[in-house]
Amino acid sequence: MAGWHSTACSLCYLNCGLEVQLDGRRITRVRGDKAHPRSGGYLCQKAQRLTWYGDHVDRLTTPLRRRADGTHEPVSWETALAEIAAKLREVRDADTAAGRPGSFGYVGGGGQGNHSGGAYGTSLMKWMNADRHFNALSREKTGDFWVNGALFGSSAVHTAEDVEHCDLLVVLGCNPWQAHGFSNARHALNTIKNDPGRRMIVIDPRRTETAEISDLHLPLRPGTDAFLLGAILALILERGGVDTAFVAARTEGFDEVAAALAKVPVDEWLAHAEVAREDVERAVDLILAAKAMTVRVELGIQQGRHSTLNSYLEKLLYLLTGNFGRTGTNNLHSWLMPLWGGSTGRRSELTGFEYIGGLLPANTMAEEVLSEHDHRVRVLWVESSNPANTFAGTHDVERAIRAAELSVVVDVAYTETAALADYVLPAASQHEKWEYTLFTFEWPTNYFQLRRPLFDPLPGTLVEAEIYTRLFAQLGVLPSAEALAAVAQAPRAELQARLKELVAQLPERAALLPVLLYRTLGATLPDGAAAIAPLWAGAHRAAATMPVAVQRALGTTASGPALGEGLFDRILASPSGTPFSTHTQDEIWTLLRRDRVQLAVPALLDWLGELDPAAERPDPAFPLSLVNGQRRAHNANQILRDPRWRRTDPDGALRARVADLAAIGAEPGDWVAVVTAAGRVVVRAEADDTLRPGQLALPHGYGMAHPDGHGERVVNGPRINLLTSSADRDPIAGTPHHKDVPARLEPATEAERARAQRDSERVAAVRA
């Protein structure tokens, strides 16, 4: 039997440890890695299908350049990089001459499980004197980050849930049975279910698999989370459920919050949410009886109506009741290398939206390009991302990609975005290079895994580090090979000082530090691990900012630079992952960026006071609510492009109640049209009476075009962002309202049914 190789899953941000067997360039078997210090052998059904990642006919193996007719032609690496560099230099010089900010827009910074390229792409953005950065986080999470900044002092202070030790789990706007989101999710949920001393509340319009095993399900009407949470908080205050000792010792601003909650018309808001008061009172009973409650949230509220306000209210739920900073409650976590930064309050000149965590809303990317403003984005650089399929308002995104003076895609496959770009640069896949997990969200011990390559890169592809380094060479800003070699050969203790010397010779090299590390330290790393050289800086940062926690995790007394070197070496030597920090529970308060939690956030308390059920009645033209991007058994992110990976739901069916289908004369299995203000998509119908009446659901992870084996391409399943508008977004974070899109159903026309059936059969032939 072939040996097992350690790696990690890349289908959700838990990045569970895996072991795989190989046959040539194929993954043939997958199992959980029992040696992984966090996941300990856990494996879900999606990870078992990683056999399909990177092994399909849509892989890119040569750079592409767009012709005048919109098609692409293969070109050499030298040609592609030289032409791209010339255009970048031209745009940078024009920006400098005009005294304007860099007109470079960067979409990326690392995709799901594909993080090593992010440091290099960010270097290019900085060299272009630009900071317009968009990615998946700014499509989903920045409202949550904004609230963290208001409460805890920095948007980079991020919360975690202690599901393992809680006696009450509140699941809000998510379905961990399918979406996971915390370690060993199904095992943890079943453990709570089978323990008579533990309870679970699920707040979700649909009776999800998680709701089915809960003690209490509150099936609120879609889009009313803020009303329901406001009412629950008001009842907690009314019943004396505030932990006054915790609030007095650890927070400020309670009086303002209490005054706002005292004005909540509880019965009116519960009627609007369509949840029975007796069920809500029971939820409050469970919350007040809990010794350690933790609240788990996800995109159901973070991409729902009032999303930033929702994030505030869910945090007040555990803060006011004192379920924070203790075992079994919500906590904070450390970072090896932060995924996002702090916020300065700076706003886009074009849209007025704030840079949250250093990111602009993905929903505004097209506006930043298509604007007539002199400071618009002129160069669009997309790495390990597919905005043409994943950002709201597909048509506007497509127009923006075409309108950019230069558009470049760095990816492993010919994505929908690549098909529109001026240049496409083929990257090595996650399994063909050194990679790492970067969603380090654990407390009190936090973990990191460096993943070794399973295969050699496909001929014609390059790791991102090499792509950017060759580009910078074309731009003429790299030191000479001799100068880089001299630094590489010097003792590691001198590395930082010698890099400073290289930057002093040409100050613009300050943007290139990851590239300089790649060409110096990287050259000394074992087994071709050069691309992960920037981790060295992250290890030293962690050791400098939390030395005691790192010492505990490593079991060492080393300090200073020796501790940073020890952490870096431990990471390199731990293929199944390693702890990098271990805190004691009381040390959580050292992670705040202010002395006390600031409960009162005026903008959000004003928003709460302005909530009005009468202003949020359904539009008669679009009376249904569409969940646009549902988690299911065999959908994930878009890195699994090959339709053969799906064991279920091959068409990406619309799920709806039987009665809602019957209302338009349709039955399960029929082709029907979903219509919104933005567009119309024809989909296969499937019955699902776990949904609320009037609620529809479409899955994410579909809508990708594949070679059909006959020289053409066929789209698999719904392109759901044809149904969304980038303008339907949160007023603070700009995140889309994907989980409550007003919609209606219509019978498909005969022509639509024929076309949809034909495409379904073509995809089935690909799967065969």
Side-chain angles (χ1 to χ4, degrees):
M1 178 180 290
W4 291 91
H5 303 264
S6 296
T7 186
C9 182
S10 52
L11 298 184
C12 84
Y13 62 70
L14 266 294
N15 298 134
C16 296
L18 304 177
E19 290 186 306
V20 299
Q21 284 188 337
L22 311 176
D23 180 7
R25 292 190 58 83
R26 294 182 60 247
I27 297 172
T28 56
R29 295 183 65 192
V30 181
R31 71 184 184 189
D33 183 0
K34 293 182 179 179
H36 192 277
R38 176 176 50 76
S39 58
Y42 182 81
L43 179 71
C44 82
Q45 80 284 356
K46 297 183 185 183
Q48 296 174 54
R49 308 298 286 169
L50 276 178
T51 51
W52 298 109
Y53 172 70
D55 182 28
H56 55 79
V57 298
D58 225 12
R59 282 294 304 276
L60 297 167
T61 57
T62 185
L64 302 174
R65 178 177 60 193
R66 189 167 63 175
R67 300 185 181 98
D69 66 359
T71 63
H72 283 103
E73 61 182 348
V75 294
S76 69
W77 276 103
E78 292 75 14
T79 297
L81 293 176
E83 292 178 359
I84 292 169
K87 185 63 178 178
L88 290 174
R89 174 68 76 175
E90 176 188 329
V91 171
R92 186 178 189 266
D93 289 348
D95 289 342
T96 301
R100 64 191 179 213
S103 51
F104 179 96
Y106 180 45
V107 182
Q112 179 64 265
N114 188 59
H115 300 290
S116 65
Y120 301 97
T122 303
S123 288
L124 179 59
M125 178 178 68
K126 291 178 179 177
W127 184 82
M128 291 292 293
N129 299 316
D131 61 4
R132 276 176 278 192
H133 190 179
F134 316 87
N135 64 20
L137 292 172
S138 68
R139 193 175 70 244
E140 301 173 346
K141 300 287 187 179
T142 40
D144 180 79
F145 303 166
W146 191 90
V147 174
N148 289 338
L151 295 175
F152 306 127
S154 171
S155 57
V157 176
H158 189 245
T159 57
E161 313 88 20
D162 188 357
V163 175
E164 182 179 0
H165 300 105
C166 70
D167 64 349
L168 175 63
L169 171 62
V170 178
V171 178
L172 177 55
C174 58
N175 181 16
W177 191 264
Q178 294 290 14
H180 305 284
F182 50 81
S183 293
N184 304 0
R186 292 189 178 183
H187 172 74
L189 292 173
N190 278 325
T191 299
I192 293 173
K193 171 191 172 184
N194 295 322
D195 186 335
R198 304 177 73 187
R199 297 287 182 266
M200 181 172 13
I201 300 170
V202 171
I203 301 175
D204 197 291
R206 175 175 170 253
R207 189 161 182 80
T208 63
E209 293 89 340
T210 306
E212 190 63 38
I213 63 173
S214 68
D215 296 276
L216 177 63
H217 174 213
L218 301 181
L220 75 169
R221 188 163 66 83
T224 63
D225 304 85
F227 293 90
L228 178 57
L229 289 171
I232 289 173
L233 287 165
L235 288 173
I236 288 172
L237 262 68
E238 181 182 301
R239 292 173 53 177
V242 173
D243 186 334
T244 54
F246 172 84
V247 167
R250 294 294 187 181
T251 75
E252 58 186 32
F254 170 72
D255 289 344
E256 295 95 317
V257 173
L261 292 174
K263 298 176 183 177
V264 170
V266 172
D267 287 323
E268 180 185 356
W269 284 16
L270 293 181
H272 181 61
E274 298 179 3
V275 180
R277 176 156 181 155
E278 55 266 33
D279 290 337
V280 176
E281 294 278 9
R282 185 182 170 209
V284 174
D285 289 340
L286 292 171
I287 291 169
L288 299 186
K291 296 178 181 177
M293 172 185 72
T294 198
V295 181
R296 170 65 195 167
V297 303
E298 254 295 348
L299 299 187
I301 68 164
Q302 293 166 348
Q303 288 190 331
R305 300 284 153 190
H306 312 292
S307 58
T308 298
L309 178 60
N310 294 338
S311 292
Y312 177 53
L313 297 175
E314 58 96 357
K315 295 178 198 302
L316 287 182
L317 184 61
Y318 55 75
L319 288 167
L320 295 184
T321 55
N323 286 290
F324 180 78
R326 296 186 289 110
T327 299
T329 69
N330 290 80
N331 288 279
L332 306 177
H333 64 79
S334 62
W335 293 104
L336 181 66
M337 295 192 300
L339 273 168
W340 58 89
S343 302
T344 64
R346 180 166 173 259
R347 294 181 177 273
S348 165
E349 291 182 80
L350 279 69
T351 68
F353 275 98
E354 183 177 350
Y355 286 75
I356 300 175
L359 302 170
L360 281 177
N363 266 356
T364 66
M365 185 206 76
E367 293 165 66
E368 295 276 347
V369 177
L370 297 171
S371 170
E372 295 298 320
H373 197 289
D374 190 50
H375 294 178
R376 67 186 178 275
V377 166
R378 291 168 169 81
V379 174
L380 193 59
W381 193 280
V382 180
E383 175 204 304
S384 193
S385 184
N386 189 12
N389 222 35
T390 61
F391 285 13
T394 294
H395 292 309
D396 287 340
V397 173
E398 291 176 334
R399 285 200 302 123
I401 298 168
R402 293 190 184 101
E405 294 176 19
L406 172 67
S407 55
V408 179
V409 166
V410 180
D411 214 317
V412 302
Y414 193 66
T415 66
E416 289 63 41
T417 305
L420 302 169
D422 296 323
Y423 293 89
V424 186
L425 304 179
S429 83
Q430 295 186 28
H431 297 152
E432 296 164 359
K433 61 179 180 175
W434 287 80
E435 256 303 342
Y436 44 81
T437 59
L438 200 55
F439 293 103
T440 50
F441 291 169
E442 302 297 319
W443 172 268
T445 297
N446 213 341
Y447 305 91
F448 185 87
Q449 183 178 6
L450 185 62
R451 295 154 42 205
R452 298 165 184 254
L454 301 175
F455 319 110
D456 292 331
L458 278 179
T461 68
L462 296 173
V463 298
E464 289 94 341
E466 185 65 20
I467 293 173
Y468 287 103
T469 300
R470 292 188 186 188
L471 178 61
F472 280 119
Q474 289 283 350
L475 289 166
V477 293
L478 284 186
S480 68
E482 293 76 16
L484 292 167
V487 175
Q489 293 163 10
R492 195 180 288 180
E494 300 177 11
L495 179 58
Q496 185 174 9
R498 288 181 174 251
L499 291 177
K500 286 182 178 179
E501 291 174 2
L502 295 178
V503 172
Q505 295 165 10
L506 186 65
E508 64 188 275
R509 288 177 184 158
L512 279 62
L513 284 175
V515 172
L516 299 178
L517 282 168
Y518 170 63
R519 278 293 176 88
T520 56
L521 173 64
T524 72
L525 297 180
D527 303 322
I532 58 89
L535 280 178
W536 176 83
H540 277 274
R541 173 195 169 279
T545 57
M546 49 181 182
V548 175
V550 173
Q551 287 173 334
R552 288 194 195 106
L554 301 187
T556 182
T557 58
S559 60
L563 181 59
E565 293 294 333
L567 176 55
F568 184 62
D569 290 342
R570 176 70 63 85
I571 289 170
L572 280 170
S574 306
S576 292
T578 183
F580 69 86
S581 69
T582 299
H583 285 82
T584 59
Q585 187 62 52
D586 63 304
E587 289 172 343
I588 191 171
W589 303 105
T590 67
L591 300 181
L592 266 69
R593 302 293 176 84
R594 54 166 45 114
D595 293 335
R596 292 167 172 260
V597 178
Q598 175 57 259
L599 296 176
V601 182
L604 298 179
L605 292 177
D606 289 346
W607 190 348
L608 181 71
E610 293 166 0
L611 289 180
D612 179 8
E616 301 194 21
R617 302 302 182 197
D619 181 348
F622 302 103
L624 308 178
S625 172
L626 171 65
V627 177
N628 211 41
Q630 185 187 42
R631 305 282 182 94
R632 296 182 182 174
H634 288 100
N635 69 327
N637 47 53
Q638 295 210 350
I639 68 169
L640 285 179
R641 291 183 63 85
D642 193 320
R644 293 176 296 172
W645 90 276
R646 303 186 195 280
R647 283 186 171 172
T648 60
D649 198 21
D651 293 312
L654 172 81
R655 291 182 177 172
R657 293 180 69 90
V658 171
D660 288 323
L661 293 174
I664 63 164
E667 297 180 351
D670 288 350
W671 294 104
V672 300
V674 182
V675 184
T676 69
R680 176 186 181 95
V681 171
V682 175
V683 290
R684 178 91 71 182
E686 179 181 304
D688 183 358
D689 281 349
T690 68
L691 294 163
R692 277 185 59 105
Q695 186 183 27
L696 312 172
L698 284 171
H700 65 84
Y702 290 77
M704 294 174 282
H706 305 272
D708 67 355
H710 301 285
E712 296 183 356
R713 299 179 72 82
V714 58
V715 175
N716 175 210
R719 270 189 102 178
I720 59 175
N721 280 308
L722 291 169
L723 295 170
T724 60
S725 166
S726 62
D728 187 15
R729 61 197 181 199
D730 183 81
I732 290 177
T735 42
H737 297 147
H738 281 345
K739 306 308 177 187
D740 179 31
V741 179
R744 67 174 181 265
L745 289 180
E746 293 181 356
T749 67
E750 184 175 347
E752 287 173 332
R753 289 196 300 271
R755 183 167 55 250
Q757 183 63 36
R758 183 173 62 251
D759 286 349
S760 177
E761 291 170 358
R762 291 170 66 197
V763 173
V766 172
R767 289 168 51 88

